[in-house]
């Protein structure tokens, strides 16, 4: 099988590449053609996953396809965008039909959940790596930036944190899965391998939230980005941070909290919003939790039950540290 047969068989014909709304031309020409609806901006984001760095060698191909796309689409959710299409730059050590079939099916499963279509890509030989570029549309002036947080806003997260990071030792084979009860194991693996991009919430928050991002590197590290871009201080009540039950099950309360604060890999949204929006928001999105507030100042402050600052020993993941 040559490069072109590979593309044809595993990508052009895959379920995720069968067109979609706002796609005038998909795979097969020099470029794809997307329509951005009138009055909307095109939101674009790229993520690269490298074998041995972002996922372990011998990761199941189906799960990898799911996760790679979910991680990329999460950035569209964080912007309040509606997905349109994505490209896939895939570097493979060799042509392995079984692997490619699994990967393409995993991609298609997540693409269907997110209503996004594969519109092009590039296929090269080399150490296993993949780059996804996702594109979506968001009404002009309504994109959720990091820079709009206002003194007096509530700081919220979209759901429980810590399961993605707690799953990593299991995914890496450092922990024997047999030592974990079946339900907990399933929650951990689902959190890691098929995070659900918070697309509906992101779209709801358009022109409501003042600042937002998806939590990929850890709550504290990512909140620093909002604080810096908005020139404000984010205060977080540690006791109000929702910690995933599965993380507490396997790690105990203290280590699970650390995963929730600095673990990353959860792809929930963190956002700031005026207090008056909260009632309706929580009615539609009951998993949303208020974890703190925005005030004048700089950086992120983690507070104990008495409102006293907790010295931060935590920080997010950074590649060049
Ligand atoms: P070009 O040389 O013009 O860049 P290619 O030969 O690399 O074109 O690719 C042919 C077509 O197949 C293009 O439409 C490209 O977008 C698409 N394509 C290549 N690799 C992939 C892939 N891994 N997934 C989806 N589409 C792909
Ligand atoms: Mg090419």
């Amino acid at each position: 099988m040559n490069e072109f047969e590979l593309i044809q068989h595993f990508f052009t014909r895959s379920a995720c590449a069968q067109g979609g709304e706002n796609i005038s031309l998909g795979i097969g020409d020099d470029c794809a053609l997307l329509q951005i609806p009138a009055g909307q901006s095109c939101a674009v984001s790229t993520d690269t996953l490298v074998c041995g760095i972002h996922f372990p060698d011998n990761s199941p191909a189906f799960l990898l396809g799911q996760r790679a796309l979910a991680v990329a689409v999460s950035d569209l959710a964080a912007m309040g965008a509606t997905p349109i299409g994505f490209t896939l730059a895939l570097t493979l050590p060799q042509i392995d039909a079984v692997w490619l079939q699994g990967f393409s099916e995993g991609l298609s499963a997540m693409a269907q959940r997110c209503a996004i279509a594969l519109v092009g890509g590039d296929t090269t030989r080399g150490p296993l790596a993949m780059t996804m570029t996702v594109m979506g549309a968001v009404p002009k002036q309504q994109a959720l930036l990091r820079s709009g947080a206002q003194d007096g806003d509530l700081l919220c997260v979209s759901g429980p944190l810590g399961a993605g990071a707690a799953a990593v030792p299991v995914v890496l084979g450092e922990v024997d899965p047999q030592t974990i009860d079946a339900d907990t194991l399933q929650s951990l693996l689902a959190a890691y391998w098929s995070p659900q991009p918070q697309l509906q919430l992101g779209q709801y928050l358009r022109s409501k939230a003042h600042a937002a991002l998806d939590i990929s590197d850890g709550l504290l590290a990512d909140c620093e980005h909002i604080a810096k871009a908005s020139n404000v201080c984010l205060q977080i009540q540690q006791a109000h941070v929702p910690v995933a039950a599965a993380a507490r099950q396997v790690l105990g309360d203290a280590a699970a909290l650390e995963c929730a604060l600095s673990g990353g890999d959860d792809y929930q949204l963190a956002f700031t919003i005026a207090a008056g929006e909260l009632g309706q928001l929580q009615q539609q999105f009951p998993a949303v939790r208020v974890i703190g507030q925005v005030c004048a100042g700089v950086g992120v402050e983690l507070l104990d039950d008495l409102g006293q600052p907790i010295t931060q020993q935590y920080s997010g993941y950074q590649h060049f540290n």
Side-chain angles (χ1 to χ4, degrees):
M1 182 179 286
N2 66 29
E3 178 190 328
F4 299 107
E5 288 162 348
L6 180 161
I7 295 167
Q8 180 75 13
H9 191 83
F10 295 106
F11 298 111
T12 313
R13 288 207 211 117
S14 73
C16 60
Q18 302 316 308
E21 219 184 326
N22 298 313
I23 297 169
S24 340
L25 186 66
I27 296 176
D29 215 308
D30 295 312
C31 288
L33 297 173
L34 310 183
Q35 303 303 315
I36 305 303
Q40 305 210 17
S41 301
C42 180
V44 182
S45 171
T46 288
D47 276 294
T48 294
L49 301 185
V50 178
C51 181
I53 295 180
H54 301 94
F55 58 89
D57 219 348
N58 300 322
S59 291
F62 179 91
L63 297 178
L64 194 54
Q66 270 197 342
R67 175 173 158 81
L69 183 57
V71 166
V73 170
S74 175
D75 286 315
L76 293 178
M79 215 64 188
T82 303
I84 297 177
F86 71 102
T87 60
L88 165 67
L90 186 59
T91 305
L92 297 168
Q94 74 269 322
I95 294 179
D96 174 343
V98 174
W99 189 93
L100 278 159
Q101 185 62 32
F103 182 75
S104 150
E105 284 171 9
L107 267 190
S108 291
M110 185 54 70
Q112 194 187 3
R113 267 161 71 176
C114 299
I116 193 167
L118 180 62
V119 297
D122 195 27
T123 306
T124 54
R125 185 190 287 264
L128 181 61
M130 57 209 64
T131 296
M132 310 274 186
T133 299
V134 292
M135 288 150 284
V138 59
K140 287 201 161 88
Q141 317 301 335
Q142 290 187 26
L144 305 173
L145 309 185
R146 298 174 174 193
S147 54
Q150 295 173 16
D151 187 359
D153 279 356
L154 300 176
L155 174 62
C156 302
V157 291
S158 57
L161 304 173
V168 169
V170 184
V171 169
L172 293 177
E174 294 167 0
V175 168
D176 178 2
Q178 308 246 322
T179 62
I180 303 171
D181 81 80
D183 287 349
T184 305
L185 182 64
Q186 204 197 348
S187 310
L188 290 177
L189 293 177
Y192 185 84
W193 286 119
S194 54
Q196 181 63 51
Q198 299 293 307
L199 289 162
Q200 283 179 345
L201 175 61
Q203 289 161 32
Y204 174 91
L205 291 174
R206 287 172 183 167
S207 68
K208 292 194 177 74
H210 295 147
L213 47 58
D214 63 327
I215 304 170
S216 52
D217 298 330
L219 175 68
L220 296 178
D222 285 318
C223 283
E224 289 278 354
H225 298 314
I226 293 182
K228 198 164 183 195
S230 301
N231 234 326
V232 293
C233 172
L234 301 192
Q235 291 184 322
I236 298 175
Q237 271 88 37
Q238 180 167 275
H240 293 180
V241 174
V243 181
R248 280 194 271 112
Q249 282 283 330
V250 279
L251 296 175
D253 288 351
L257 177 65
E258 189 169 338
C259 282
L261 292 175
S262 57
D265 279 325
D266 284 310
Y267 302 98
Q268 296 287 349
L269 300 185
F271 55 94
T272 82
I273 196 160
E277 299 280 1
L278 187 66
Q280 223 187 8
L281 168 67
Q282 281 187 319
Q283 236 169 35
Q284 289 205 41
F285 299 93
V288 166
R289 291 287 175 274
V290 177
I291 61 164
Q293 58 278 322
V294 180
C295 57
V298 290
V300 173
E301 275 180 18
L302 192 61
L303 305 178
D304 67 15
D305 288 345
L306 302 171
Q308 296 302 311
I310 298 169
T311 321
Q312 293 176 23
Q313 314 106 317
Y314 312 124
S315 68
Y317 186 78
Q318 290 187 28
H319 277 276
F320 293 102
N321 275 3

